[in-house]
Amino acid sequence: LNMNSKIEDVEIIEIPRVHDERGLLAVIEGNTIPFDIKRVYYLYDVPSDAFRGGHAHKELNQLIIPLSGSFDVHIKDGDNTRIINLNKPHKGLLIVPGIWREIDNFSSGCVCLVLASAEYNEEDYIRKYSDFLAFKNS
């Protein structure tokens, strides 16, 4: 378990792009991100007033990418809070284990892609903020 993560451990990852007259191609492979991808999912048709996330992970790493549109990611480490607006499809937000995340302010037509380091496992989730704080302080 890595519950010692801090806000500073969350970072924007620049996704390499190839550009020509046909448009842009963003590529994620090999060492683009610091984990092997075991699960991919995406959020779409999310109402603008909806709220997603609202949890932390004990071991999972995630890269959150705004394929289209924009949204805000609120991250907390138990002491500090930061809001990061994601709005460029070649910039993903790397969220390490032990960081609380909430996502809101979805633009119309937004598509949010998530690359994860493991398959779904309910045991890896911390779904109550009070439990998250207890984990961080244990």
Side-chain angles (χ1 to χ4, degrees), residues 45-105:
D45 285 347
V46 180
S48 59
D49 60 351
F51 160 93
R52 301 297 308 231
H55 61 264
H57 288 282
K58 299 172 189 171
E59 298 181 15
L60 188 77
N61 288 281
Q62 291 180 310
L63 186 69
I64 301 175
I65 304 168
L67 286 189
S68 178
S70 66
F71 48 85
D72 291 334
V73 182
H74 303 247
I75 55 172
K76 301 176 182 179
D77 63 13
D79 296 315
N80 302 294
T81 300
R82 206 166 130 207
I83 300 173
I84 299 161
N85 178 263
L86 293 179
N87 60 12
K88 292 181 172 56
H90 66 281
K91 291 183 187 259
L93 184 66
L94 176 67
I95 301 184
V96 296
I99 297 290
W100 186 266
R101 85 286 317 274
E102 298 165 3
I103 309 173
D104 66 5
N105 196 22

Side-chain angles (χ1 to χ4, degrees), residues 7 15 19 34 36 42 59 74-75 102 110 117 119 124-125:
I7 290 278
I15 298 165
H19 180 261
D36 290 333
Y42 49 94
E59 298 181 15
H74 303 247
I75 55 172
E102 298 165 3
C110 173
S117 65
E119 293 179 8
D124 189 58
Y125 283 76

